[in-house]
């Protein structure tokens, strides 16, 4: 098949199916026939590649590596642009039902993002995202409520990816990329809100929130190193999939409320090799993800595991994922222990600087997160309790705080916002943060406070 002619035919049939779905009921013969024809067109392309990506750049359509500059395609370009979709990746795993659901979603007019609606109806094998750099949108665009929705959808999608791998299927790279596209855009638009959300979890959904958090924390670190665009997303994808080998680890070992025996620890250690093998045999999965899955428990001095691997230099992405992985694990409440406050976690990380973690990257991470990250519950010098809502540009120990409990522990009628870097007429600080506190101990939900 001529590549240009075949690509144009595919795009036109996709447009025809969407138009039919917008005009007729889902069960109408015209809709069924248009989806059937479109399925046949995709099957022809799948004989050459396991995934077909259709992108929209300006007035052009890009199918795989074929760029189409045909005015006759302008209506479908506008259709996808109106729904804020810059690219779609289709894999054979979508099946006819998945394609039918995608066409139906694209035919709708809704303010809800397309990737959320696809996740809601359980579509697999189809990922939507953006070609444009994540910096293209203003930094204030997101907001906490939208950040919560993006984060929650990503956690649910991560659960689906994990569930497929647990069932013995290959992880869905299109679904994983959809998660990463959404998170990469979110962390670039509103890093503060996304970082706040990573700190608020329970052990009940730890596996999936941990996947999302490590991905977010990895991309946040990568951005400080000037990494953007497709490479940033590869780093995020590697962070998301770093622990996928644990789908083969027995649940009783993963959730054991106590120290593992030597034999159990040996079984646990296998997840790095299992993860690398799963990702290597997954079509369209970047090789970086398999490398990071294999290396993420290796330390700078090459102790850790897997053992006896000989001399090697750890990948930069591995080093970022390792920092994010340990940081998120230590500050998270688990079935067998309470979470540790961020200040204590930083001390523990610093004790391993240069041996477990690369010292310069670790220092950059500590600077990135701040002494008291946004969303942290803190107790002030005189006993008030509040939530950190902003970081000081130069002094990480002087954040802005929204006070919600007074010195006696009673809730204030209205929260009081204070800047702990402010001084009185005598030059003394009016407020000072003493420590981070556990939300269960004081009965305050930080996210509710932030959203108010």
């Amino acid at each position: 098949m001529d590549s240009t002619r075949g690509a144009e035919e595919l795009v036109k049939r996709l447009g025809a199916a969407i138009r039919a779905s917008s005009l007729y009921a889902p069960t109408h013969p015209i809709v069924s026939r248009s989806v059937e024809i479109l399925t046949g067109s995709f099957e022809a392309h799948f004989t050459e590649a396991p995934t077909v990506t259709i992108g929209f750049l300006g007035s052009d359509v890009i199918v795989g590596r074929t760029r189409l500059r045909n005015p006759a395609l302008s209506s479908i370009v506008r259709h996808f642009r109106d729904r804020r979709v810059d690219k779609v990746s289709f894999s054979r795993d979508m099946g006819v039902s998945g394609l039918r659901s995608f066409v139906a979603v694209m035919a709708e007019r809704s303010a809800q993002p397309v990737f959320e609606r696809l996740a809601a109806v359980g579509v697999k094998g189809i990922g939507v995202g953006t070609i444009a750099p994540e910096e293209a949108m203003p930094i204030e665009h997101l907001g906490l409520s939208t950040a919560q929705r993006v984060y929650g959808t990503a956690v649910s999608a991560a659960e689906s990816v994990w569930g497929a791998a647990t069932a013995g299927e290959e992880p869905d790279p299109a679904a994983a990329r959809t998660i990463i596209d959404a998170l990469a855009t979110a962390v670039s638009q509103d890093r503060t809100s996304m970082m706040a959300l990573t700190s608020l979890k329970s052990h009940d959904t730890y596996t999936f929130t941990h996947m999302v958090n490590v991905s977010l924390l990895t991309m946040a670190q990568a951005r400080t190193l000037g990494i953007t665009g497709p490479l940033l997303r590869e780093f995020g994808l590697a962070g998301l999939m770093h622990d996928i080998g644990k789908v083969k680890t027995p649940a009783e070992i993963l959730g054991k409320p106590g120290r593992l025996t030597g034999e159990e620890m040996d079984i646990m250690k296998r997840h790095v090799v299992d993860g690398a093998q799963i990702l290597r045999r997954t079509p369209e999965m970047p090789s970086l993800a398999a490398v990071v899955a294999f290396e993420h428990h290796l330390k700078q001095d090459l102790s850790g595991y897997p053992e006896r691997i000989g001399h090697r230099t750890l990948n930069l992405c591995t080093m970022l994922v390792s920092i994010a992985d340990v940081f998120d694990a230590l500050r998270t409440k688990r079935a067998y222990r309470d979470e540790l406050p961020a200040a204590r976690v930083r001390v523990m990380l610093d004790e391993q600087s240069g041996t477990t973690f690369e010292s310069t990257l670790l220092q950059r991470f500590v600077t990135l997160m701040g002494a008291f990250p946004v969303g942290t519950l803190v107790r002030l010098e005189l006993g008030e309790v509040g939530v950190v809502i902003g970081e000081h540009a130069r002094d990480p120990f002087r954040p802005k705080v929204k006070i919600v409990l007074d010195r006696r522990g009673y809730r204030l009628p209205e929260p009081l916002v204070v800047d702990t870097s402010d001084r009185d007429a005598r030059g003394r600080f009016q407020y000072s943060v003493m420590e981070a506190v556990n939300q269960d101990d004081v009965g305050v939900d930080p996210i509710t406070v932030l959203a108010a």
Side-chain angles (χ1 to χ4, degrees):
M1 177 189 297
D2 174 75
S3 61
T4 300
R5 185 165 57 85
E8 286 190 354
E9 181 182 276
L10 177 64
V11 175
K12 288 177 179 178
R13 288 179 175 176
L14 176 60
I18 292 172
R19 284 194 300 274
S21 188
S22 67
L23 294 172
Y24 302 99
T27 56
H28 195 284
I30 291 179
V31 175
S32 299
R33 180 58 180 161
S34 65
V35 172
E36 181 183 337
I37 293 173
L38 178 59
T39 300
S41 189
F42 270 113
E43 287 298 331
H45 283 267
F46 288 146
T47 60
E48 301 176 5
T51 302
V52 177
T53 299
I54 301 177
F56 304 90
L57 189 59
S59 60
D60 299 342
V61 182
I62 301 171
V63 180
R65 297 184 179 181
T66 302
R67 189 161 187 157
L68 306 175
R69 293 186 167 124
N70 186 343
L73 303 178
S74 60
S75 61
I76 191 169
V77 172
R78 286 195 304 273
H79 188 92
F80 276 76
R81 286 294 189 196
D82 288 346
R83 285 152 181 80
R84 298 181 181 180
V85 175
D86 287 345
K87 70 175 181 181
V88 189
S89 294
F90 301 87
S91 72
R92 196 188 300 271
D93 294 339
M94 65 184 176
V96 176
S97 61
L99 184 57
R100 183 187 296 274
S101 296
F102 173 78
V103 166
V105 165
M106 287 304 301
E108 297 171 350
R109 287 192 174 276
S110 172
Q112 186 180 16
V114 169
F115 80 89
E116 290 186 6
R117 286 184 281 148
L118 290 176
V121 296
V123 172
K124 295 182 178 181
I126 300 177
V128 299
T130 178
I131 293 174
E134 57 275 5
E135 292 84 0
M137 299 184 73
I139 199 79
E140 300 84 7
H141 179 77
L142 202 62
L144 184 63
S145 61
T146 303
Q148 286 180 274
R149 190 170 69 245
V150 171
Y151 182 86
T153 301
V155 171
S156 297
E159 183 174 4
S160 297
V161 170
W162 186 275
T166 302
E169 303 172 14
E170 293 171 345
D172 185 347
R177 283 194 178 91
T178 295
I179 300 172
I180 297 306
D181 282 339
L183 295 180
T185 301
V187 80
S188 69
Q189 292 175 28
D190 193 345
R191 179 179 65 82
T192 297
S193 292
M194 297 308 293
M195 293 300 98
L197 291 170
T198 66
S199 68
L200 305 166
K201 323 167 284 298
S202 72
H203 69 269
D204 296 325
T205 57
Y206 171 73
T207 296
F208 318 119
T209 55
H210 184 61
M211 292 172 68
V212 172
N213 291 341
V214 171
S215 179
L216 278 168
L217 294 169
T218 297
M219 287 191 286
Q221 292 178 83
R223 283 177 56 82
T224 69
L225 298 173
I227 297 171
T228 59
L231 184 57
L232 177 71
R233 286 167 166 75
E234 283 206 15
F235 273 49
L237 185 58
L240 184 79
M241 306 301 291
H242 76 286
D243 261 346
I244 197 67
K246 286 184 177 178
V247 298
K248 293 191 173 184
T249 306
E252 60 270 19
I253 292 179
L254 287 176
K256 183 179 178 180
R259 184 180 296 274
L260 299 179
T261 66
E263 182 179 355
E264 289 170 337
M265 192 63 202
D266 287 341
I267 295 173
M268 174 69 81
K269 288 179 178 179
R270 293 178 197 165
H271 81 271
V272 295
V273 175
D274 290 337
Q277 290 175 341
I278 289 170
L279 296 174
R280 280 197 190 103
R281 66 171 181 256
T282 300
E284 302 298 306
M285 185 66 67
S287 59
L288 178 62
V291 170
V292 171
F294 182 79
E295 291 184 341
H296 74 278
H297 279 290
L298 287 171
K299 303 178 181 181
Q300 287 297 297
D301 58 9
L302 296 184
S303 61
Y305 60 90
E307 300 166 347
R308 297 183 294 276
I309 61 166
H311 177 74
R312 70 192 290 139
T313 300
L314 297 182
N315 189 282
L316 171 62
C317 185
T318 296
M319 292 189 275
L320 301 185
V321 168
S322 296
I323 293 171
D325 181 29
V326 174
F327 177 80
D328 190 65
L330 289 176
R331 66 174 182 166
T332 303
K333 184 175 183 178
R334 306 295 302 279
Y336 48 85
R337 64 159 171 80
D338 287 334
E339 70 270 26
L340 298 175
R344 174 59 183 150
V345 172
R346 281 192 300 275
V347 170
M348 295 174 69
L349 294 178
D350 190 57
E351 290 171 348
Q352 301 176 68
S353 178
T355 53
T356 299
F357 308 112
E358 202 282 325
S359 56
T360 302
L361 294 177
L362 180 60
Q363 185 55 51
R364 292 179 72 98
F365 177 77
V366 171
T367 301
L368 171 70
M369 296 305 295
F372 299 103
V374 171
T376 304
L377 270 170
V378 293
R379 193 183 309 279
L380 302 185
E381 186 176 23
L382 298 180
E384 305 98 326
V385 172
V387 178
V388 174
I389 61 172
E391 300 167 0
H392 192 281
R394 293 180 299 279
D395 188 344
F397 295 94
R398 293 286 170 188
K400 288 184 179 179
V401 178
K402 182 183 285 190
I403 299 175
V404 291
L405 302 182
D406 66 16
R407 301 173 188 180
R408 298 172 298 169
Y410 295 124
R411 188 171 289 270
L412 296 176
E414 291 292 335
L416 173 64
V417 175
V418 301
D419 188 335
T420 62
S421 68
D422 287 345
R423 299 175 185 265
D424 61 19
R426 298 182 181 181
R428 297 176 300 188
F429 290 114
Q430 296 176 284
Y431 297 91
S432 295
V433 174
M434 297 302 295
E435 62 180 352
V437 296
N438 189 312
Q439 69 180 75
D440 293 335
D441 293 338
V442 295
V444 175
D445 176 14
I447 285 296
T448 300
V449 175
L450 286 173

